[in-house]
Amino acid sequence: MSAKAKVDVEIAPSTNSAMPSGDFAEELTCLLCSELFKDPVMVECGHNFCRNCADKAWNGQESFTCPDCKEVITEKRYTTNRALANLVKKTVGSNASLTTTKPSEKPKPSENCPEHDERLKLYCKDDGTLSCVICRDSLKHASHTFLPILDAVGVYRTELSAIVAPLEEALKVTEQLTSQQSEKVEQHKTNISECRQHIESEFEKLLTFLKEGEEKLLEQLQEQGENLLKEMESNMVKMQENQDNIKQTISVADERMNDTDSISFLTGIKSFIEKCQEQQKDVIVAGNTLLSKDLCQGTFKGPIQYSIWKQMKSFIVPYVQRPTVWLIGDSYIHCAAQRASDSPCGLNLGFTNADLAWRGIQGLKWFEVLSEVVSVSTRNQAPTVLVIHAGGNDLCLVPLAELISMIRLDFDRFTSFFTDLIVVWSEVIPRAWWNGARNQPSVERARRQLNMRVSRHVRSNGGVVIRHRQLEGDNRELMLEDGVLLNDNGLDIFLSGLQNAVEQALVLLLGQSSK
């Protein structure tokens, strides 16, 4: 309901009745300046604002978004609301408190030093406090670094803005993971139901002789299913709490960045930024772990007859789940998939005992890999082998130590997302030309260092590494003219490396399942 409509309802009984305060006062308050209307005008959506506030909001803008209903208005048209203006005058006359009280007005901090009663003109970077000139010369601040207030505002406003951006990225990932966790929970409930039906069906075939074994297995399913479900639901609650905390921090940070009062903005800004940084670290380390718990397929959903007949000294071939291989990466994976589709082996690279799914994205950066894995998991069966080829596009953009740490952390996350996963790391291939590089040899040194340290981490955690030895050194004859992508001969060598690595991973997987 617009402010004009609310006014008509309030004054209908009698224009001489006493004017209420509280919520009614809010109806007479402009949402742009938080003060009583001055020369109120009504815009196209039906809401009212001060004429001066409306003009300022339109100044230099092609459209205006109403802060009340969020409607986007593209034409600057409004009409004077004389009835509302008259009501404001009557309200001011009958209730003077409305003219002096601003809703949710923040108390303005003192502009003088509480210790020396001098004007606050400086900001101490060491203590994170506002100071006067006497404070600067005191022993308490000896050897400390000071900034003029306006300079400090610029420095810390920029720093706070830089903190908000990664938090927003963390929020997006957390929201994706929370949604994915919800789907996992629902799928888990479905699996429990399907396993129950399967168990009951199998045991009915064995009649009375199998009744005792049926009851025992159902008890195991109930216990394991409920325990795993509790873990995933508990993890989803933690993710939601983490998501809410990030939203709250972002909201507070946005509010502080929009604070035009320097004193208010700088009060406690250093401790607040440190809190944001600490929260960001916590989100990266522990806040985005997708918990996927699966029932023991061999026990509850495999051929139940086999385990029973095995006890009876008979033989039934057990059920073995078909492995799924994901290949995710940058343009190299994209081009390799196109090359494989035209080859005799096809996109499945000749494997008849596994299913391969490709996801190659041109220009892929490493910080996008995690979200792509989450995205692919919504459309495909969970992988048993995950092949990743990425990181080359980041060498000229991200500090080497930071990139290595990011890749290691994500590989640890992949193994926590999916049970019994074999990870394959495809090393970054040398290029004749690195886009954006100021010093080509330094990028090549960084590439070697990246490959060495990440490969060591993957192997130590039971993964497989593709070295691409035939593509090392001077490989210009295996590349396109751009010096970045591989030609058909280079892609054939690249595909051969992928084939060998997938085969190694499947052998490791077979060894795990036989234990």
Side-chain angles (χ1 to χ4, degrees), residues 263-336:
I263 303 299
S264 175
F265 174 81
L266 290 174
T267 301
I269 187 64
K270 185 173 183 179
S271 60
F272 178 74
I273 289 177
E274 291 173 351
K275 178 183 176 183
C276 291
Q277 292 171 332
E278 191 64 30
Q279 183 179 18
Q280 179 187 348
K281 293 178 182 177
D282 293 340
V283 167
I284 293 175
V285 173
N288 296 326
T289 301
L290 181 63
L291 187 62
S292 177
K293 295 289 187 177
D294 293 325
L295 294 166
C296 180
Q297 299 293 315
T299 302
F300 299 123
K301 209 171 179 180
I304 305 301
Q305 295 179 13
Y306 172 76
S307 59
I308 299 301
W309 283 99
K310 186 177 179 181
Q311 298 174 19
M312 301 170 63
K313 309 297 183 182
S314 296
F315 301 92
I316 297 179
V317 178
Y319 167 78
V320 179
Q321 186 176 358
R322 186 178 176 87
T324 300
V325 181
W326 291 1
L327 299 99
I328 298 177
D330 53 24
S331 299
Y332 282 72
I333 293 294
H334 175 77
C335 296

Side-chain angles (χ1 to χ4, degrees), residues 310-460:
K310 186 177 179 181
Q311 298 174 19
M312 301 170 63
K313 309 297 183 182
S314 296
F315 301 92
I316 297 179
V317 178
Y319 167 78
V320 179
Q321 186 176 358
R322 186 178 176 87
T324 300
V325 181
W326 291 1
L327 299 99
I328 298 177
D330 53 24
S331 299
Y332 282 72
I333 293 294
H334 175 77
C335 296
Q338 293 180 330
R339 181 67 174 170
S341 65
D342 297 331
S343 69
C345 293
L347 284 171
N348 226 50
L349 298 183
F351 291 100
T352 58
N353 60 336
D355 296 316
L356 274 65
W358 298 76
R359 180 62 172 162
I361 302 176
Q362 296 177 343
L364 180 74
K365 306 297 190 301
W366 187 270
F367 73 86
E368 301 170 309
V369 170
L370 179 62
S371 60
E372 283 303 318
V373 171
V374 172
S375 176
V376 173
S377 68
T378 63
R379 304 187 301 272
N380 297 274
Q381 179 181 326
T384 44
V385 177
L386 176 61
V387 182
I388 300 290
H389 181 88
N393 296 326
D394 302 84
L395 284 175
C396 300
L397 303 174
V398 181
L400 181 60
E402 181 180 337
L403 179 59
I404 292 173
S405 177
M406 190 191 314
I407 295 176
R408 285 176 169 178
L409 179 60
D410 282 345
F411 273 127
D412 293 340
R413 284 175 174 170
F414 299 148
T415 54
S416 68
F417 290 168
F418 309 108
T419 56
D420 301 325
L421 177 71
I422 301 296
V423 172
V424 177
W425 157 246
S426 175
E427 290 189 343
V428 178
I429 295 172
R431 303 177 183 178
W433 176 257
W434 294 92
N435 292 329
R438 297 181 179 178
N439 187 326
Q440 298 284 336
S442 66
V443 178
E444 172 61 19
R445 289 192 297 271
R447 181 194 69 85
R448 294 177 182 177
Q449 184 73 4
L450 171 71
N451 285 342
M452 180 185 68
R453 295 179 63 180
V454 174
S455 296
R456 184 186 304 153
H457 179 78
V458 171
R459 288 195 187 95
S460 65

Side-chain angles (χ1 to χ4, degrees), residues 5 9 19 71 73 79 94 130 143 146 174 212 248 311 321 323 370 392 457 477 481 495 499 503 506 511:
V9 173
M19 293 295 178
E71 180 177 343
I73 304 170
T79 57
S94 61
L130 292 161
S143 301
F146 289 85
T174 303
E212 182 177 354
Q248 183 179 2
Q311 298 174 19
Q321 186 176 358
L370 179 62
H457 179 78
E477 72 280 0
E481 293 182 359
L495 282 170
Q499 257 180 324
E503 186 174 356
L506 292 177

Side-chain angles (χ1 to χ4, degrees), residues 24 49 55 60 77 138 143 192 242-243 246 258 264 308 369 407 434 463 471-472 504:
F24 183 68
F49 307 95
D55 289 338
R77 292 190 302 181
S138 66
S143 301
I192 294 175
N242 187 32
Q243 181 178 327
I246 295 175
N258 293 330
S264 175
I308 299 301
V369 170
I407 295 176
W434 294 92
L471 298 175
E472 288 285 340
Q504 292 180 48

Side-chain angles (χ1 to χ4, degrees), residues 96-325:
S97 63
L98 290 177
T99 63
T100 58
T101 302
K102 297 181 181 179
S104 66
E105 182 179 6
K106 293 175 61 176
K108 187 174 182 180
S110 173
E111 296 184 357
N112 289 345
C113 174
E115 185 176 353
H116 305 109
D117 199 29
E118 290 287 332
R119 189 172 180 81
L120 296 170
K121 296 182 178 180
L122 302 171
Y123 181 78
C124 178
K125 293 181 64 178
D126 298 88
D127 291 342
T129 58
L130 292 161
S131 306
C132 65
V133 292
I134 299 178
C135 293
R136 178 192 60 189
D137 298 331
S138 66
L139 291 176
K140 179 181 177 181
H141 292 277
S143 301
H144 286 188
T145 302
F146 289 85
L147 287 175
I149 282 182
L150 292 180
D151 290 352
V153 168
V155 169
Y156 287 105
R157 194 182 298 277
T158 301
E159 187 173 343
L160 186 59
S161 177
I163 289 296
V164 171
L167 282 175
E168 289 175 340
E169 289 297 324
L171 176 60
K172 291 179 183 178
V173 174
T174 303
E175 288 174 342
Q176 283 184 304
L177 293 175
T178 303
S179 175
Q180 180 67 9
Q181 184 68 81
S182 177
E183 293 178 6
K184 292 285 185 183
V185 169
E186 292 304 319
Q187 184 60 46
H188 185 76
K189 293 177 180 178
T190 302
N191 290 342
I192 294 175
S193 177
E194 291 176 353
C195 288
R196 179 177 293 277
Q197 295 174 7
H198 184 65
I199 291 170
E200 292 173 351
S201 174
E202 290 293 315
F203 272 93
E204 284 176 2
K205 299 174 184 178
L206 299 176
L207 300 175
T208 308
F209 174 79
L210 302 176
K211 190 64 178 179
E212 182 177 354
E214 178 189 16
E215 294 175 351
K216 180 179 179 180
L217 203 55
L218 284 172
E219 290 176 0
Q220 293 177 3
L221 170 65
Q222 185 71 20
E223 180 180 358
Q224 186 180 128
E226 289 182 353
N227 290 339
L228 297 180
L229 182 60
K230 287 179 181 178
E231 290 183 39
M232 288 195 291
E233 289 179 332
S234 175
N235 193 49
M236 186 169 66
V237 170
K238 292 179 180 178
M239 283 183 172
Q240 188 62 53
E241 292 175 352
N242 187 32
Q243 181 178 327
D244 293 339
N245 290 336
I246 295 175
K247 286 182 178 179
Q248 183 179 2
T249 301
I250 293 174
S251 176
V252 174
D254 287 338
E255 181 182 349
R256 296 203 67 152
M257 284 191 294
N258 293 330
D259 193 345
T260 58
D261 187 282
S262 300
I263 303 299
S264 175
F265 174 81
L266 290 174
T267 301
I269 187 64
K270 185 173 183 179
S271 60
F272 178 74
I273 289 177
E274 291 173 351
K275 178 183 176 183
C276 291
Q277 292 171 332
E278 191 64 30
Q279 183 179 18
Q280 179 187 348
K281 293 178 182 177
D282 293 340
V283 167
I284 293 175
V285 173
N288 296 326
T289 301
L290 181 63
L291 187 62
S292 177
K293 295 289 187 177
D294 293 325
L295 294 166
C296 180
Q297 299 293 315
T299 302
F300 299 123
K301 209 171 179 180
I304 305 301
Q305 295 179 13
Y306 172 76
S307 59
I308 299 301
W309 283 99
K310 186 177 179 181
Q311 298 174 19
M312 301 170 63
K313 309 297 183 182
S314 296
F315 301 92
I316 297 179
V317 178
Y319 167 78
V320 179
Q321 186 176 358
R322 186 178 176 87
T324 300
V325 181

Side-chain angles (χ1 to χ4, degrees), residues 478-492:
L478 300 174
M479 307 197 79
L480 298 176
E481 293 182 359
D482 62 5
V484 176
L485 299 178
L486 298 170
N487 58 27
D488 287 346
N489 292 333
L491 286 174
D492 289 340

